[in-house]
Amino acid sequence: MKELLIIKAKESYYRFTDDGYLPCEMNKGSVFPLEEVEKAKEMCAALHRDGIVDASLIKLTIIEEPYPEK
């Protein structure tokens, strides 16, 4: 099992780049390992400062298992 953090506001996730951030689909969003929670909190705070007050940290839990071919 793998746990990651992602930032979400309403139906959008966020991708962070050197130039800023963009709303996007989940598969394009920036993810942070739990060890980088402080960095993720800083990114979320930046969204809050820019008026995206509903942005929040979301924990993703990924479980790997074989896909059953039928």
Side-chain angles (χ1 to χ4, degrees), residues 11-31:
E11 298 302 316
S12 293
Y13 296 86
Y14 281 84
R15 178 169 187 79
F16 295 88
T17 65
D18 292 338
D19 298 326
Y21 56 83
L22 296 168
C24 61
E25 299 292 322
M26 179 193 274
N27 65 333
K28 301 290 184 188
S30 297
V31 294

Side-chain angles (χ1 to χ4, degrees), residues 24-43:
C24 61
E25 299 292 322
M26 179 193 274
N27 65 333
K28 301 290 184 188
S30 297
V31 294
F32 305 89
L34 293 181
E35 298 81 38
E36 294 183 18
V37 66
E38 291 305 317
K39 180 178 179 180
K41 286 180 180 180
E42 290 172 18
M43 299 298 183

